[in-house]
Amino acid sequence: MSRPPVAVVIGAGDATGGAIARRFAREGFTLCVTRRQADKLEPLVSDIAAAGGSAHAFGCDARSEEQMVALFSDIERDIGPIEVVVFNIGANVRFSITETTERVYRKVWEMAALSGFLTGREAAKAMLPRARGTIIFTGATASLRGGTGFSAFAGAKFALRALAQSMARELGPQGIHVAHPIIDGAIDTAFIRDNFPERYALKDQAGILDPEHIAEQYWQLHCQPRDCWTHELDLRPWMETF
């Protein structure tokens, strides 16, 4: 008996990552969701199960090559064929350049760039023998321009964007769709609510991004026919300047 296709979400947080997982679960995918601490995924896995879906939680440090190799190998062997991989780890910090320590810069690079490389490489290894699949890397405003105080974050997001472009050019002709959505605006999260109340107040005017709406765009990217693939897609609220 054939097994349902698998969607892997690396960095399935409480907002965007979780919304993406739930969206693909509604379409019959088995979800494999990761965070560094697996117990934080219990509410998401329970939500998916309550809606009739299937999900598996994995505690995994995406910066570790050993752990990422084992993760993809275990999923392919024990759960099913990986058809979709979403890299959604956030690493947003803000420090002036003189206050940005080597430790901060290295950690942000590891979280947003190195982890993306390991995810993309292992996803490609799984998908290439079947000549199909979708790999999506979540980008940000910092993927396009470095703002004041964001030297570490912008450096890492620039690197992730370059990775996505390189992979798209290499893997597209082999049947694998690589996309890089740019999330250009505040998202409806607890972090924005607690730290940027003036921005969060725009929610009533549809002035911040709804994670469910972002997830819908990720689903649509996966559904695109091969003759009309999008690589880069920018998503922002209607009132956001750019």
Side-chain angles (χ1 to χ4, degrees):
M1 181 180 296
S2 62
R3 296 178 292 177
V6 172
V8 180
V9 180
I10 306 295
D14 298 329
T16 306
I20 293 167
R22 289 190 294 270
R23 183 66 184 89
F24 279 85
R26 291 204 303 270
E27 301 296 337
F29 280 77
T30 297
L31 265 295
C32 292
V33 292
T34 81
R35 291 178 74 163
R36 273 180 287 180
Q37 296 176 304
D39 60 325
K40 292 186 176 181
L41 292 162
E42 291 177 5
L44 175 59
V45 171
S46 296
D47 284 349
I48 291 173
S54 175
H56 303 265
F58 293 86
C60 180
D61 186 344
R63 300 170 297 177
S64 165
E65 181 176 34
E66 181 180 3
Q67 291 186 40
M68 292 300 283
V69 170
L71 172 71
F72 279 82
S73 176
D74 291 349
I75 292 171
E76 283 276 320
R77 183 188 66 239
D78 300 332
I79 299 176
I82 298 171
E83 187 167 317
V84 176
V85 173
V86 176
F87 178 78
N88 189 63
I89 291 179
N92 194 347
V93 298
R94 186 173 189 177
F95 294 100
S96 71
I97 188 63
T98 57
E99 295 176 339
T100 302
T101 64
E102 185 272 347
R103 180 179 181 275
V104 165
Y105 197 93
R106 181 184 297 275
K107 183 177 181 180
V108 172
W109 174 81
E110 288 177 347
M111 291 173 64
L114 177 63
S115 296
F117 158 70
L118 294 172
T119 298
R121 187 189 69 185
E122 295 309 305
K125 287 180 180 179
M127 295 174 179
L128 278 170
R130 295 186 287 269
R132 72 175 188 274
T134 302
I135 303 172
I136 303 176
F137 297 97
T138 298
T141 307
S143 304
L144 301 179
R145 58 184 183 272
T148 301
F150 292 104
S151 59
F153 186 53
K157 297 302 282 188
F158 267 56
L160 185 69
R161 187 187 187 208
L163 171 77
Q165 290 180 359
S166 180
M167 286 181 58
R169 291 182 169 97
E170 179 177 346
L171 300 177
Q174 301 183 74
I176 297 171
H177 184 187
V178 179
H180 179 250
I182 296 168
I183 313 303
D184 184 24
I187 304 173
D188 184 359
T189 64
F191 176 80
I192 296 297
R193 182 195 63 211
D194 296 340
N195 293 279
F196 302 95
E198 72 290 344
R199 179 60 63 91
Y200 193 78
L202 298 175
K203 177 180 177 179
D204 293 339
Q205 304 174 57
I208 60 175
L209 289 137
D210 185 325
E212 301 293 335
H213 297 164
I214 296 172
E216 180 61 31
Q217 299 308 310
Y218 280 50
W219 170 249
Q220 295 300 328
L221 282 170
H222 172 63
C223 291
Q224 288 180 337
R226 291 189 179 193
D227 68 315
C228 195
W229 274 351
T230 296
H231 171 64
E232 199 152 77
L233 173 73
D234 51 338
L235 303 173
R236 65 179 62 87
W238 66 277
M239 61 173 59
E240 188 80 22
T241 57
F242 66 102

